[in-house]
Amino acid sequence: MCLIALAWQAHPEYPLIVAANRDEFHRRPAQAARFWPEAPALLAGRDLAAGGTWLGITRTGRFAALTNVREPGAPQGSRSRGLLVSGFLQGADSPQAYAAAVAADGAHYSGFNLLVGDAGSLWWVSNRAPAPMPVTPGVHALSNHLFNTPWPKVQRARDGLTAALAAPTPEALFALLADDRAAPDDELPDTGVGLAMERLLSPPFIRSGGYGTRCSSVLLAGRERIFFAEQTFTPDGEGERSAFGFRREA
Protein backbone atom coordinates (compact mmCIF):
# COMPACT_ATOMS: atom_id res chain seq x y z
CA MET A 1 0.00 0.00 0.00
CA CYS A 2 1.58 3.25 -1.11
CA LEU A 3 -1.01 5.93 -0.45
CA ILE A 4 -3.48 6.21 2.41
CA ALA A 5 -5.79 9.16 3.02
CA LEU A 6 -7.93 8.96 6.14
CA ALA A 7 -10.41 11.04 8.05
CA TRP A 8 -10.44 10.17 11.76
CA GLN A 9 -13.25 11.50 13.95
CA ALA A 10 -13.89 14.17 11.31
CA HIS A 11 -17.35 13.16 10.01
CA PRO A 12 -20.58 12.87 12.04
CA GLU A 13 -21.68 9.58 10.47
CA TYR A 14 -18.36 7.86 9.79
CA PRO A 15 -15.69 8.08 12.52
CA LEU A 16 -13.20 6.49 10.10
CA ILE A 17 -13.03 7.08 6.36
CA VAL A 18 -10.18 5.65 4.31
CA ALA A 19 -9.18 5.94 0.66
CA ALA A 20 -6.04 3.98 -0.23
CA ASN A 21 -4.05 2.75 -3.21
CA ARG A 22 -1.82 -0.30 -3.13
CA ASP A 23 1.16 -0.02 -5.48
CA GLU A 24 3.15 -3.17 -6.19
CA PHE A 25 4.90 -5.13 -8.91
CA HIS A 26 2.24 -6.69 -11.11
CA ARG A 27 4.04 -10.03 -11.05
CA ARG A 28 3.62 -10.40 -7.27
CA PRO A 29 0.62 -12.69 -6.70
CA ALA A 30 -2.28 -11.40 -4.64
CA GLN A 31 -5.86 -12.28 -3.84
CA ALA A 32 -8.65 -9.72 -3.95
CA ALA A 33 -10.45 -8.71 -0.76
CA ARG A 34 -12.69 -11.29 0.87
CA PHE A 35 -13.46 -12.66 4.33
CA TRP A 36 -10.66 -15.06 5.19
CA PRO A 37 -11.80 -18.68 5.62
CA GLU A 38 -9.55 -19.23 8.65
CA ALA A 39 -10.55 -15.87 10.19
CA PRO A 40 -14.19 -15.28 9.16
CA ALA A 41 -14.41 -11.85 10.81
CA LEU A 42 -11.44 -10.48 8.83
CA LEU A 43 -12.02 -8.74 5.49
CA ALA A 44 -8.87 -8.06 3.47
CA GLY A 45 -6.91 -8.87 0.37
CA ARG A 46 -4.00 -11.26 0.70
CA ASP A 47 -0.41 -11.18 -0.44
CA LEU A 48 0.06 -14.69 -1.82
CA ALA A 49 3.84 -14.37 -1.78
CA ALA A 50 4.19 -13.90 2.00
CA GLY A 51 0.69 -14.47 3.41
CA GLY A 52 -0.06 -11.10 4.98
CA THR A 53 -2.09 -8.16 3.76
CA TRP A 54 -1.82 -4.42 3.18
CA LEU A 55 -5.20 -3.21 4.49
CA GLY A 56 -8.15 -4.78 6.23
CA ILE A 57 -10.99 -4.45 8.69
CA THR A 58 -12.90 -6.85 10.91
CA ARG A 59 -16.59 -7.12 11.69
CA THR A 60 -15.92 -5.44 15.04
CA GLY A 61 -14.20 -2.49 13.35
CA ARG A 62 -10.53 -3.33 13.98
CA PHE A 63 -8.65 -1.64 11.17
CA ALA A 64 -5.05 -1.82 9.98
CA ALA A 65 -3.14 -0.62 6.91
CA LEU A 66 0.47 -0.45 5.84
CA THR A 67 2.78 1.45 3.52
CA ASN A 68 6.43 0.73 2.82
CA VAL A 69 9.11 3.37 3.36
CA ARG A 70 10.98 4.11 0.14
CA GLU A 71 14.68 3.57 0.81
CA PRO A 72 16.43 2.19 -2.30
CA GLY A 73 19.41 -0.02 -1.60
CA ALA A 74 18.50 -0.67 2.05
CA PRO A 75 18.89 -4.27 3.28
CA GLN A 76 15.71 -6.32 3.35
CA GLY A 77 14.12 -7.20 6.67
CA SER A 78 13.82 -10.81 7.73
CA ARG A 79 10.03 -10.69 8.20
CA SER A 80 7.18 -9.70 5.90
CA ARG A 81 5.65 -6.33 6.71
CA GLY A 82 2.18 -7.50 5.64
CA LEU A 83 2.08 -9.82 8.63
CA LEU A 84 1.98 -6.73 10.87
CA VAL A 85 -1.45 -5.90 9.43
CA SER A 86 -2.93 -9.39 9.66
CA GLY A 87 -1.41 -9.81 13.12
CA PHE A 88 -3.35 -6.88 14.50
CA LEU A 89 -6.58 -7.81 12.72
CA GLN A 90 -6.49 -11.35 14.10
CA GLY A 91 -5.42 -10.30 17.59
CA ALA A 92 -7.00 -8.66 20.61
CA ASP A 93 -4.37 -6.13 21.74
CA SER A 94 -5.40 -2.50 21.92
CA PRO A 95 -4.05 -0.29 19.11
CA GLN A 96 -1.69 1.44 21.54
CA ALA A 97 -0.33 -1.82 22.96
CA TYR A 98 0.11 -3.37 19.51
CA ALA A 99 1.88 -0.27 18.18
CA ALA A 100 4.27 -0.37 21.15
CA ALA A 101 5.05 -4.05 20.57
CA VAL A 102 5.66 -3.42 16.86
CA ALA A 103 7.98 -0.52 17.66
CA ALA A 104 10.03 -2.73 19.97
CA ASP A 105 10.30 -5.40 17.26
CA GLY A 106 10.72 -3.09 14.26
CA ALA A 107 14.32 -3.95 13.44
CA HIS A 108 13.22 -7.25 11.88
CA TYR A 109 11.35 -5.45 9.07
CA SER A 110 12.18 -3.24 6.13
CA GLY A 111 10.93 0.33 6.57
CA PHE A 112 7.19 0.64 7.14
CA ASN A 113 4.31 2.82 8.28
CA LEU A 114 1.54 0.97 10.11
CA LEU A 115 -1.89 2.25 11.12
CA VAL A 116 -3.88 0.25 13.68
CA GLY A 117 -7.21 1.24 15.16
CA ASP A 118 -10.56 0.29 16.64
CA ALA A 119 -13.67 2.20 17.64
CA GLY A 120 -11.81 4.10 20.34
CA SER A 121 -8.39 5.01 19.00
CA LEU A 122 -6.13 5.03 15.97
CA TRP A 123 -2.33 4.77 16.16
CA TRP A 124 0.55 5.19 13.72
CA VAL A 125 3.88 3.43 14.16
CA SER A 126 6.96 3.32 11.94
CA ASN A 127 10.35 1.72 12.39
CA ARG A 128 11.77 4.89 10.85
CA ALA A 129 10.31 7.18 13.54
CA PRO A 130 11.19 7.64 17.23
CA ALA A 131 7.95 6.33 18.75
CA PRO A 132 4.32 5.43 17.98
CA MET A 133 1.79 8.24 18.16
CA PRO A 134 -1.99 8.51 18.37
CA VAL A 135 -3.67 9.89 15.27
CA THR A 136 -5.42 13.16 16.09
CA PRO A 137 -8.94 13.93 14.82
CA GLY A 138 -8.85 15.35 11.31
CA VAL A 139 -7.78 14.46 7.77
CA HIS A 140 -4.36 12.89 7.24
CA ALA A 141 -2.41 11.11 4.53
CA LEU A 142 0.80 9.17 4.09
CA SER A 143 2.72 7.48 1.33
CA ASN A 144 6.21 5.99 1.36
CA HIS A 145 7.67 8.33 3.97
CA LEU A 146 6.54 9.38 7.42
CA PHE A 147 3.04 10.41 8.50
CA ASN A 148 1.75 13.51 6.68
CA THR A 149 5.04 14.07 4.83
CA PRO A 150 3.94 16.67 2.23
CA TRP A 151 4.76 14.85 -1.00
CA PRO A 152 2.59 16.05 -3.92
CA LYS A 153 0.45 12.89 -3.95
CA VAL A 154 -0.02 13.09 -0.19
CA GLN A 155 -1.13 16.72 -0.33
CA ARG A 156 -3.44 15.98 -3.26
CA ALA A 157 -5.05 13.01 -1.51
CA ARG A 158 -5.44 14.91 1.74
CA ASP A 159 -7.05 17.87 -0.02
CA GLY A 160 -9.28 15.55 -2.04
CA LEU A 161 -10.53 13.72 1.03
CA THR A 162 -11.13 16.99 2.86
CA ALA A 163 -13.32 18.14 -0.03
CA ALA A 164 -15.11 14.78 -0.20
CA LEU A 165 -16.18 14.93 3.46
CA ALA A 166 -19.15 17.04 2.42
CA ALA A 167 -20.53 13.96 0.64
CA PRO A 168 -18.22 10.98 1.23
CA THR A 169 -19.61 8.56 -1.34
CA PRO A 170 -17.60 5.60 -2.60
CA GLU A 171 -17.52 7.14 -6.06
CA ALA A 172 -16.05 10.39 -4.74
CA LEU A 173 -13.34 8.48 -2.89
CA PHE A 174 -12.51 6.26 -5.85
CA ALA A 175 -12.28 9.38 -8.01
CA LEU A 176 -9.60 10.96 -5.85
CA LEU A 177 -7.65 7.69 -5.92
CA ALA A 178 -7.83 7.54 -9.74
CA ASP A 179 -5.82 10.77 -10.17
CA ASP A 180 -2.93 9.85 -12.47
CA ARG A 181 -1.52 13.35 -13.08
CA ALA A 182 2.23 13.52 -12.52
CA ALA A 183 3.50 16.25 -10.20
CA PRO A 184 5.63 19.10 -11.60
CA ASP A 185 9.35 18.40 -11.44
CA ASP A 186 9.99 21.24 -9.00
CA GLU A 187 7.62 19.61 -6.47
CA LEU A 188 9.07 16.10 -6.62
CA PRO A 189 10.85 14.64 -3.58
CA ASP A 190 14.34 13.24 -3.97
CA THR A 191 14.18 9.70 -2.61
CA GLY A 192 17.17 8.33 -4.48
CA VAL A 193 15.37 6.63 -7.37
CA GLY A 194 16.16 9.16 -10.09
CA LEU A 195 14.05 11.82 -11.80
CA ALA A 196 12.26 9.52 -14.25
CA MET A 197 11.12 7.21 -11.46
CA GLU A 198 10.14 10.14 -9.20
CA ARG A 199 7.87 11.33 -12.01
CA LEU A 200 6.35 7.87 -12.48
CA LEU A 201 5.68 7.46 -8.76
CA SER A 202 4.36 10.99 -8.16
CA PRO A 203 0.61 10.60 -8.95
CA PRO A 204 -1.85 9.00 -6.54
CA PHE A 205 -2.57 6.39 -9.25
CA ILE A 206 0.50 4.83 -10.89
CA ARG A 207 0.20 3.28 -14.32
CA SER A 208 3.03 1.24 -15.89
CA GLY A 209 3.60 -2.24 -17.25
CA GLY A 210 5.78 -3.68 -14.49
CA TYR A 211 4.83 -1.72 -11.39
CA GLY A 212 1.79 0.33 -10.52
CA THR A 213 -1.46 0.66 -8.62
CA ARG A 214 -2.81 -2.83 -8.14
CA CYS A 215 -5.95 -1.92 -6.19
CA SER A 216 -7.89 0.97 -4.71
CA SER A 217 -9.72 0.55 -1.41
CA VAL A 218 -12.50 2.64 0.12
CA LEU A 219 -13.69 2.27 3.71
CA LEU A 220 -16.61 4.02 5.41
CA ALA A 221 -16.69 2.77 9.00
CA GLY A 222 -19.77 3.99 10.81
CA ARG A 223 -20.77 3.40 14.39
CA GLU A 224 -23.32 0.77 13.37
CA ARG A 225 -22.45 -0.26 9.82
CA ILE A 226 -19.24 -0.71 7.83
CA PHE A 227 -18.87 -0.39 4.06
CA PHE A 228 -15.75 -1.57 2.24
CA ALA A 229 -15.11 -1.59 -1.51
CA GLU A 230 -12.09 -2.59 -3.56
CA GLN A 231 -11.22 -1.95 -7.21
CA THR A 232 -8.47 -4.18 -8.62
CA PHE A 233 -6.36 -3.28 -11.65
CA THR A 234 -4.34 -5.06 -14.31
CA PRO A 235 -1.21 -3.38 -15.80
CA ASP A 236 -3.34 -1.57 -18.40
CA GLY A 237 -5.63 -0.10 -15.75
CA GLU A 238 -8.58 -2.45 -16.21
CA GLY A 239 -10.07 -4.33 -13.29
CA GLU A 240 -13.01 -5.45 -11.20
CA ARG A 241 -14.82 -3.96 -8.23
CA SER A 242 -16.22 -5.73 -5.19
CA ALA A 243 -18.18 -4.26 -2.28
CA PHE A 244 -19.09 -5.43 1.21
CA GLY A 245 -21.53 -3.93 3.69
CA PHE A 246 -22.21 -5.33 7.15
CA ARG A 247 -23.33 -4.39 10.64
CA ARG A 248 -20.55 -3.66 13.11
CA GLU A 249 -20.40 -6.34 15.78
CA ALA A 250 -19.69 -5.69 19.44
Side-chain angles (χ1 to χ4, degrees), residues 163-203:
L165 287 183
T169 64
E171 290 306 319
L173 300 179
F174 277 122
L176 74 88
L177 293 172
D179 183 354
D180 61 0
R181 296 170 295 150
D185 284 358
D186 62 355
E187 296 180 10
L188 296 175
D190 181 2
T191 61
V193 297
L195 180 58
M197 186 60 68
E198 297 288 6
R199 288 170 177 160
L200 175 69
L201 299 177
S202 67

Side-chain angles (χ1 to χ4, degrees), residues 111-185:
F112 66 82
N113 294 288
L114 178 67
L115 291 163
V116 290
D118 58 17
S121 67
L122 181 64
W123 282 73
W124 166 76
V125 58
S126 172
N127 59 350
R128 299 297 183 264
M133 71 174 195
V135 176
T136 57
V139 179
H140 307 275
L142 71 159
S143 183
N144 301 113
H145 200 51
L146 301 182
F147 198 67
N148 284 325
T149 297
W151 287 2
K153 67 163 62 178
V154 172
Q155 297 276 60
R156 205 180 294 174
R158 191 174 179 179
D159 291 346
L161 181 53
T162 299
L165 287 183
T169 64
E171 290 306 319
L173 300 179
F174 277 122
L176 74 88
L177 293 172
D179 183 354
D180 61 0
R181 296 170 295 150
D185 284 358

Side-chain angles (χ1 to χ4, degrees), residues 206-230:
I206 300 170
R207 197 186 305 271
S208 78
Y211 178 92
T213 299
R214 294 278 303 273
C215 72
S216 296
S217 303
V218 165
L219 172 66
L220 297 165
R223 292 176 176 82
E224 296 184 358
R225 294 195 61 82
I226 294 170
F227 175 84
F228 177 87
E230 178 187 81

Side-chain angles (χ1 to χ4, degrees), residues 70-118:
R70 191 185 304 164
E71 39 190 15
Q76 292 295 302
S78 60
R79 300 178 188 171
S80 170
R81 291 167 287 196
L83 297 176
L84 295 170
V85 178
S86 56
F88 176 75
L89 295 173
Q90 295 181 82
D93 287 349
S94 71
Q96 182 177 4
Y98 191 83
V102 167
D105 208 28
H108 295 286
Y109 303 88
S110 299
F112 66 82
N113 294 288
L114 178 67
L115 291 163
V116 290
D118 58 17

